């Protein structure tokens, strides 16, 4: 049995109850085979065994009090996966679906995503099964402070630097940062995504969505296509979706769909982002309200945005939201490119369908890296005690995404085929981390 197959078998047996994590592991192992099998150093140094096992898996309870005075308990996680190239870096997710498998899959993905940015950051992830929806401001503050009380002993500016993710925005980061500062009596850049008045970076809010569109534009241009004049379908209506839509529109595309967990909207005239932002960012409402305010729009509480005819599809909601049937629908409708804005939003079968139909496909490891890239730039600004302008950070982001595309494309051409960006991203990310691990010993 080949080394890569032996490792896969061992990892599957050890993590049999973690399907999301195994999905991420399988995707990486299946694509880095040409590299691993051509160099005995990886087996001699047990690189695959080490890279698939986190350095640390931290689980803890989070007690907090609701508005009725009842004591509630949630479970918290921090997976410190790999710090071969820098301190652990990855977001905190607050959502009822959070479990060990999901946090490990996200942390594993983060290793390679962070490597691709070219910045000195390792891979980690964390969160809790706490649901912030429907909670009062006081309840969220109480939970965040309790969460950080335990997490604070495991993180630090040069150890592990968490950020936001689903359910964790500027408000939650603020409460967590304040609690960390109170406990540790130190002011340091231990969290990213902070408010602009206390060490945050301009462009951080826009970074993941902007970065997604920048790399898709690079991919289209490299294949003799362009983004101007194209019709774009986007899922989600959170941070990533809103700013991906904004940047796509700025570059001359027309965005016609958005969604949330209740349903989705189709506006053939093009989404009015001012209305979406008022609903989602100001009023914290449901996307259904868009159709009540914009006459040209339709609202659907069944089906998915992928049934709408489009040139470019950008899944920006959550993992495994785009399955093989959605992929077949998009292919039938002549989609030319797919870029993953969320973490692993396409199933393995959907990715295979896109690639076998020659649809240009940019995986999340590369396409979703804009957020963590600007988080790392925020860390740099904190260390330097400086604040860069929006345009300065945006230019750096644009350059980082161009660099990620070039690394991904070069690795694809060398080890797979020119447009196999899934293999390219995994291989490029793996090579840097594995080289660092070998250099540092066991």
């Amino acid at each position: 049995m080949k080394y890569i197959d032996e490792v896969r078998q061992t990892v599957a047996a050890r993590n049999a109850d973690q399907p999301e994590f195994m999905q991420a592991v399988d995707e990486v192992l299946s694509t880095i085979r040409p590299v691993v099998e051509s160099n005995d150093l990886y087996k001699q140094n047990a690189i695959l065994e080490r890279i698939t096992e986190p350095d640390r898996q931290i689980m803890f309870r989070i007690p907090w009090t609701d508005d009725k005075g009842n004591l509630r308990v949630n479970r918290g996680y921090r997976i410190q996966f790999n710090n071969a190239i820098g301190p652990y870096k990855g977001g905190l997710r607050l959502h009822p679906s959070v479990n060990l498998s999901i946090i490990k899959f996200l942390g594993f993905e983060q290793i390679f995503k962070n490597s691709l940015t070219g910045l000195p950051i390792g891979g980690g992830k964390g969160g809790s099964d706490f649901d912030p929806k429907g909670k009062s401001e006081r309840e969220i503050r109480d939970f965040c402070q309790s969460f950080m009380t335990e997490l604070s002993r495991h993180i630090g500016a040069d150890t592990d630097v968490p950020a936001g993710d689903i359910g964790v925005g500027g408000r939650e980061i603020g409460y967590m940062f304040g609690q960390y500062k109170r406990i540790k009596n130190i002011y340091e850049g231990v969290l990213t995504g902070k408010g602009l008045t206390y060490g945050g970076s301009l462009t951080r809010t826009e970074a993941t969505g902007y970065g997604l569109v920048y790399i898709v534009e690079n991919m289209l241009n490299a294949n003799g296509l362009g983004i101007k004049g194209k019709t774009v379908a986007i899922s989600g209506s959170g941070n990533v979706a809103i700013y991906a839509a904004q940047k796509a529109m700025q570059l001359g595309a027309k965005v016609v769909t958005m969604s949330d967990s209740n349903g989705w909207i189709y506006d053939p005239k093009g989404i009015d982002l001012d209305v979406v932002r008022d609903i989602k960012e100001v009023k914290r409402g449901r996307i259904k309200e868009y159709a009540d305010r914009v006459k040209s729009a339709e609202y659907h509480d069944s089906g998915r945005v992928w049934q709408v005819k489009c040139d470019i599809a950008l899944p920006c909601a959550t993992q495994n939201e785009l399955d093989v049937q959605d992929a077949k629908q998009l292919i039938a409708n002549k989609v030319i490119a797919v870029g993953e804005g969320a973490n692993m939003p396409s199933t393995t079968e959907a990715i295979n369908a896109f690639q076998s139909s020659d649809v240009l496909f940019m995986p999340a490891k590369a396409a979703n890296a804009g957020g963590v890239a600007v988080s790392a730039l925020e860390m740099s600004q904190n260390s330097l005690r400086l604040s860069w302008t929006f345009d300065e950070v945006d230019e750096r982001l644009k350059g980082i995404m161009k660099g990620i595309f070039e690394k991904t494309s070069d690795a694809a051409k060398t080890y797979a085929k020119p447009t196999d960006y899934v293999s390219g991203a995994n291989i490029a990310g793996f090579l840097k981390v594995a080289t660092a691990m070998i250099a540092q010993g066991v």
Side-chain angles (χ1 to χ4, degrees):
M1 189 183 290
K2 297 279 191 183
Y3 170 50
I4 210 162
D5 299 312
E6 291 174 1
V7 173
R8 197 271 166 199
Q9 193 173 80
T10 301
V11 176
R14 186 175 287 172
N15 302 280
D17 59 341
Q18 298 174 16
E20 294 87 358
F21 174 55
M22 283 310 304
Q23 182 182 346
V25 169
D26 282 337
E27 189 216 62
V28 171
L29 294 186
S30 67
T31 53
I32 63 173
R33 189 180 291 271
V35 174
V36 172
E37 292 181 354
S38 66
N39 191 338
D40 287 340
L41 271 178
Y42 299 124
K43 183 172 184 178
Q44 290 168 17
N45 288 273
I47 292 298
L48 297 185
E49 292 93 329
R50 290 160 59 196
I51 208 168
T52 54
E53 186 68 22
D55 292 345
R56 229 159 273 105
Q57 302 182 57
I58 303 158
M59 289 199 304
F60 50 94
R61 72 169 181 260
I62 310 160
W64 57 281
T65 306
D66 66 22
D67 285 342
K68 295 179 180 178
N70 299 314
L71 189 64
R72 310 277 289 276
V73 178
N74 284 93
R75 179 176 285 177
Y77 303 87
R78 188 65 184 173
I79 303 298
Q80 296 175 334
F81 227 112
N82 188 293
N83 67 350
I85 60 174
Y88 306 106
K89 186 86 192 78
L92 298 170
R93 175 174 294 192
L94 300 184
H95 193 272
S97 67
V98 165
N99 57 36
L100 185 59
S101 177
I102 286 174
I103 296 298
K104 283 178 69 176
F105 123 62
L106 292 168
F108 187 69
E109 288 272 294
Q110 203 79 41
I111 300 169
F112 307 98
K113 182 193 303 185
N114 292 359
S115 172
L116 284 170
T117 67
L119 300 167
I121 42 177
K125 205 74 181 184
S128 171
D129 55 5
F130 173 82
D131 187 358
K133 284 183 181 174
K135 302 294 190 301
S136 70
E137 194 80 16
R138 194 212 59 77
E139 288 174 323
I140 288 172
R141 184 182 67 225
D142 194 57
F143 171 84
C144 289
Q145 290 176 338
S146 181
F147 181 77
M148 183 50 73
T149 297
E150 175 61 31
L151 186 64
S152 63
R153 69 187 69 199
H154 306 292
I155 63 176
D158 296 311
T159 304
D160 184 350
V161 184
D165 192 77
I166 293 171
V168 178
R171 172 181 59 176
E172 290 76 16
I173 291 290
Y175 291 146
M176 291 181 193
F177 182 76
Q179 185 72 351
Y180 179 89
K181 186 161 56 75
R182 186 177 300 114
I183 292 167
K184 294 286 190 177
N185 192 29
I186 186 170
Y187 198 108
E188 61 179 5
V190 69
L191 291 164
T192 56
K194 299 185 294 298
L196 295 176
T197 58
Y198 59 99
S201 175
L202 289 163
T203 318
R204 177 60 191 91
T205 305
E206 297 85 354
T208 309
Y210 278 21
L212 167 63
V213 176
Y214 288 148
I215 201 166
V216 168
E217 183 186 30
N218 273 278
M219 177 174 68
L220 290 168
N221 290 344
N223 288 278
L225 302 164
I227 197 168
K228 189 174 182 180
K230 299 294 190 296
T231 299
V232 181
I234 292 179
S235 65
S237 52
N239 200 52
V240 181
I242 286 171
Y243 291 104
Q246 185 183 78
K247 182 53 65 176
M249 292 175 191
Q250 288 174 1
L251 295 175
K254 181 169 74 168
V255 177
V256 295
T257 70
M258 295 187 88
S259 67
D260 62 18
S261 55
N262 287 52
W264 56 281
I265 52 169
Y266 170 56
D267 189 343
K269 292 187 176 180
I271 296 291
D272 186 332
L273 263 190
D274 289 337
V275 175
V276 173
R277 292 181 67 178
D278 181 61
I279 293 168
K280 304 304 289 190
E281 295 182 340
V282 179
K283 297 177 179 173
R284 299 182 184 269
R286 309 309 294 168
I287 201 68
K288 180 179 183 180
E289 296 167 33
Y290 182 93
D292 298 331
R293 293 167 59 173
V294 179
K295 299 298 182 195
S296 57
E298 306 169 4
Y299 173 74
H300 301 266
D301 57 11
S302 62
R304 303 187 195 180
V305 300
W306 315 123
Q307 64 195 61
V308 172
K309 187 174 175 60
C310 64
D311 302 305
I312 300 167
L314 303 178
C316 296
T318 191
Q319 69 265 13
N320 293 326
E321 61 168 291
L322 196 161
D323 62 23
V324 68
Q325 294 306 317
D326 298 320
K328 288 177 179 177
Q329 181 70 68
L330 284 164
I331 292 163
N333 286 338
K334 310 293 186 191
V335 71
I336 60 172
V338 179
E340 295 191 307
N343 288 296
M344 210 168 69
S346 309
T347 65
T348 302
E349 295 77 16
I351 295 170
N352 292 340
F354 288 132
Q355 291 187 314
S356 63
S357 300
D358 294 323
V359 173
L360 298 174
F361 182 85
M362 187 56 65
K365 281 186 193 69
N368 174 266
V372 75
V374 172
S375 281
L377 296 179
E378 181 178 328
M379 291 166 65
S380 297
Q381 292 171 79
N382 292 168
S383 296
L384 294 166
R385 300 290 194 268
L386 292 176
S387 181
W388 298 328
T389 67
F390 185 98
D391 289 342
E392 282 180 298
V393 179
D394 192 33
E395 275 305 307
R396 290 172 193 263
L397 171 63
K398 201 177 294 184
I400 289 168
M401 299 312 295
K402 184 174 187 290
I404 291 173
F405 175 75
E406 289 170 351
K407 288 175 212 165
T408 298
S409 179
D410 289 347
K413 290 172 184 173
T414 303
Y415 297 101
K417 68 175 187 177
T419 57
D420 185 357
Y421 300 121
V422 174
S423 295
N426 286 333
I427 290 168
F430 171 79
L431 284 172
K432 181 177 178 180
V433 176
T435 302
M437 290 172 70
I438 292 169
Q440 294 167 28
V442 180

